[in-house]
Amino acid sequence: KVNHKTLRQHTQLLELLEMAQLMDACVQNEHYDEALEIQQHALRLASQHHDIPIVRMVAEEIKESTTAMQRQLHTLLSGSVTLPTCLRLIGFLRRLGLYSDFELRIVYLQCRSAFLNEKLSLIPSTNAYAYISKVIDVTRAQLSEVITQYRAIFDQDDDSSSNSQLASSGSTSSSAATKSDELSSILQCWFFHQIDTFLHTLEEKLPSIQDGTSLANLLSQCMYFGLSMGRLGADFRTLLSPIFEASILQLVRTQLATALEIF
């Protein structure tokens, strides 16, 4: 009797047993809509028939496939993506149901940070002037892209902590807080971190520049960078002055010492 019943339900049982394999195939081929449908179906079965061992086993396999899909979406989001692709990937992550809206914002910014860091790591550092110039261009382009994408993907009802609290921290970031009122708090923190990293790079590499014309060119590039960020509500040009003043002063002292020695 059991065998006959099993035979009658053969098609449904086969579909159940192949769910995990089918979801794996969908994930590998980036058919995420179909993979999400399978995941939701498996979750419904697990909630309705949690007392059946085979259903629980299939649900566990689906969880593993869900984790693989999550990692794959993170990898794609950490690459070169356009706004439509970004919206699509964030939509899939949201439908997975693994993140709150707050966590999803952080995941997005972490993935874009990974992409920015990878691009910066590929810049040759043998020539200080060429290196700084390229870092400026790459950072400016990527920050503009991230801020634009973030505003398009997420609404601005962020977990807003006041800029006055950020300003009271006393760090380099606090000086830029008054110029970033239009940025949401999560995006603010991420942007301040990226700008701090950029300023540290300037402080580290500028002393290697021994030519006043090169310093002037880099200052012009940085000022344009700050101006373009100002259009997005994050002008940081006032933070550049001390760094370039120190480099110019060091250059003048070095050249004066050389001139005195020669004289």
Side-chain angles (χ1 to χ4, degrees):
K1 183 178 179 180
V2 172
N3 288 338
H4 279 296
K5 186 176 181 180
T6 302
L7 185 60
R8 288 196 302 272
Q9 303 295 329
H10 175 265
T11 303
Q12 292 88 334
L13 289 172
L14 195 60
E15 289 177 356
L16 176 65
L17 294 172
E18 289 180 344
M19 282 178 64
Q21 184 180 356
L22 183 58
M23 183 169 176
D24 279 337
C26 289
V27 171
Q28 291 174 8
N29 293 290
E30 299 185 8
H31 297 155
Y32 298 126
D33 283 309
E34 292 80 357
L36 286 167
E37 290 177 6
I38 296 171
Q39 183 218 25
Q40 294 302 318
H41 181 56
L43 290 176
R44 285 193 297 270
L45 285 177
S47 64
Q48 294 171 2
H49 306 287
H50 58 83
D51 55 328
I52 302 178
I54 190 67
V55 174
R56 292 200 302 269
M57 183 193 75
V58 170
E60 288 300 319
E61 292 176 348
I62 290 295
K63 283 184 180 179
E64 294 177 5
S65 298
T66 301
T67 302
M69 179 175 170
Q70 177 189 14
R71 288 197 298 265
Q72 193 167 327
L73 289 171
H74 283 195
T75 301
L76 292 173
L77 199 58
S78 300
S80 179
V81 290
T82 60
L83 177 56
T85 304
C86 222
L87 284 165
R88 182 168 168 267
L89 295 175
I90 291 295
F92 289 138
L93 285 172
R94 184 177 282 117
R95 288 169 60 189
L96 278 177
L98 301 175
Y99 301 112
S100 66
D101 187 63
F102 177 83
E103 292 168 335
L104 197 56
R105 295 167 190 254
I106 295 176
V107 166
Y108 167 77
L109 293 174
Q110 286 176 335
C111 289
R112 300 318 296 159
S113 294
F115 179 65
L116 172 59
N117 293 336
E118 181 182 0
K119 291 203 71 172
L120 293 175
S121 67
L122 296 176
I123 301 174
S125 57
T126 51
N127 184 297
Y129 174 77
Y131 176 77
I132 297 174
S133 181
K134 188 64 176 177
V135 166
I136 294 170
D137 290 340
V138 169
T139 306
R140 176 177 55 79
Q142 290 305 310
L143 293 190
S144 298
E145 181 180 80
V146 169
I147 293 174
T148 303
Q149 288 181 349
Y150 184 95
R151 288 173 167 173
I153 295 169
F154 304 104
D155 58 51
Q156 294 305 303
D157 297 329
D158 215 342
D159 60 325
S160 298
S161 56
S162 66
N163 287 332
S164 60
Q165 291 175 331
L166 289 171
S168 65
S169 65
S171 65
T172 306
S173 301
S174 65
S175 303
T178 57
K179 298 180 177 294
S180 322
D181 295 335
E182 298 176 15
L183 293 174
S184 61
S185 61
I186 298 176
L187 188 57
Q188 259 188 357
C189 294
W190 179 85
F191 178 81
F192 290 160
H193 172 70
Q194 299 301 328
I195 292 301
D196 279 342
T197 302
F198 171 71
L199 295 178
H200 288 320
T201 301
L202 284 181
E203 290 174 344
E204 179 183 350
K205 296 294 184 180
L206 274 182
S208 301
I209 306 296
Q210 299 299 318
D211 176 33
T213 304
S214 298
L215 278 175
N217 292 337
L218 291 174
L219 178 58
S220 297
Q221 280 186 266
C222 287
M223 286 300 181
Y224 176 73
F225 181 11
L227 179 63
S228 64
M229 293 296 101
R231 298 190 187 103
L232 299 171
D235 192 343
F236 65 93
R237 285 177 292 176
T238 55
L239 303 178
L240 296 169
S241 299
I243 299 174
F244 277 91
E245 285 175 358
S247 295
I248 292 169
L249 184 59
Q250 177 187 350
L251 179 60
V252 170
R253 284 174 174 167
T254 301
Q255 292 184 348
L256 279 176
T258 303
L260 285 172
E261 183 179 352
I262 295 174
F263 179 76

